[in-house]
Amino acid sequence: MLKSWYKEMAVYQVWPRSFCDGDGDGIGDLKGVLSKLDYIKSIGVDAIWFSPLYKSPQKDYGYDIADYKSIQPEYGTLEEFKEVLDGAHKRGLKVIMDLVVNHTSDQHEWFKKSIEEPDSQYHDYYYWRKGKGKRRPNNWMSTFAGPAWEYNEKLDEYYLHLFAIEQPDLNMDNPKVREEVKDIMKFWLDMGVDGFREDVITFISKKEGLPSSPYWFPVATGIEKYMHGPHLDEYLMEFKRDVYDHYDCFTVGEAPMMTTKNALKHITEGENQQLNTMFHFEHMAADCLFYSWFKTSFNLKKLKKVFSRWQNELYGKAWNALYIENHDQPRIINRYGSVEYRVESAKMLATMYICQSGTPFIYQGQEIGMTNPTFESIDEFTDVSTVNNYGVAKSIMGADKALKLANYASRDNARTPVQWSAEKNAGFTTADKPWFKLNDNYKEVNVEAAEKDPDSVLNYYRKLLKFRKENEIVIYGSYKEHFKKSKELYVYEREYEGKKLLVINSFTDKEVQFVAPKGFDLTKGNLVLSNYNYPAVTSNGFKTKPYETRVYLFD
Ligand code: NOJ
């Protein structure tokens, strides 16, 4: 197992619009981030990943970029970004930027020129195609619902957009586009940033000829033609060879529909490694089919199977990226935990994934146990994919059920302002109103309250991350799952240099009889982390409390 700084770090994700408003306009910004750097550091993380800060019309909240080299004015200036970068570095925090190059905004100069000057080189920066008679060039559907092609009257051509209409896909097959991408990467790396989270990077190569799909879904028809396309290897290799190899930087690729087998083609350590790690999505489907809008009931066995597969198949060869929340996922307590046992289940879920092998990512608000708010009507949502998906759901199940589903599945659930205090607007902004609704529970769930309570979720994250940092077994140890058939308990061990760690997690409020697996004697173990207070064990098992977690270390 090779050691590296990126394997030892933990990362905190900032979704800037809702993090902290420093200038009183109701929108989170860099001034706000600057004022919270000490707080971020205090959690025990080593890096910040910023969701896009670049100039953008905000149709997809920054994932539609109009200028890759400047900062969204609502968020601040490039000078302010440099201050944040410097402030982070001074505190020993790395800074990871979001790199969104599968598509741009339709307000990017390249796209505008591709229309205004169709004979210029910019036309071929995008996928412009003639229709087939009155039909679109193929049957692909956007991953945000609706057709993936938009017609332009002036050119009498369609352009491809796998996401919103305002997010035209870049034609990565064009070597000039790849040069632009490398230029953007170097711009930020030369400024001093420490790496990239690469947005849907595994979508950048589309099957030659853009053939129609034989399948049909209401969203993402055609995904099999680009989710792991023919030239992906080649393009990622080019980025590595021409850019990453010349910097000490970290790269994590976002990879929807990724399997371990395909991931290993890109992240296996050695000469041909193209990215340090990948965000796969398989473990985010334990309560749904593929993604949260196709809801099912929560299935712990499904979750364990996925985690164990990624742990076992990557161990010693490649590195995992561990996460349970981000700006695209509803809050995890509502999905895999329990709102009733908010504190207990938040701590259990944290232990469950952070004690695995990999680099953990923590999404803003996760560390205080934020939960989904209640949306009373569809008009309260602002996310483009939610509005589109709701439209599809409504036509199938009617408005009431569709609203209920949106409350469960929408990524807007993760985008409410961070709750800093019990003060007006949860201390997020001094404006009359924040840009987006607050969760009503902010008087109880907020950073200030969590700071004062030694048993808060926040203080548990601190303990957990400190323990990880001080015990290499959590970072580099091997992994073995126990009681695979249990529908209530997720138990695994880690082993490293003669030490063992036993991680026990209950996913139920019911009492379950736990007996230590063969070879473990709990009375000899050191209980290093737990979410209840109890006397030392006197036997080799116990009855679990609701959403209990315990971690025993055996030296
Ligand atoms: C993945 C991002 O995380 C998501 O927020 C965005 O909408 C899509 N990619 C498109 O960029």
Side-chain angles (χ1 to χ4, degrees), residues 60 63 100 103 144 163 167 197 199-200 254 327-328 411 415:
D60 187 18
Y63 286 90
V100 189
H103 44 266
F144 286 173
F163 294 90
Q167 288 169 300
R197 174 267 187 189
D199 191 68
V200 287
E254 191 201 22
H327 63 293
D328 292 331
R411 50 189 198 166
R415 298 177 174 190

Side-chain angles (χ1 to χ4, degrees), residues 23 28 241 293 381 531 533:
D23 67 2
R241 200 186 48 230
W293 285 82
F381 294 92
N531 56 353
N533 295 319

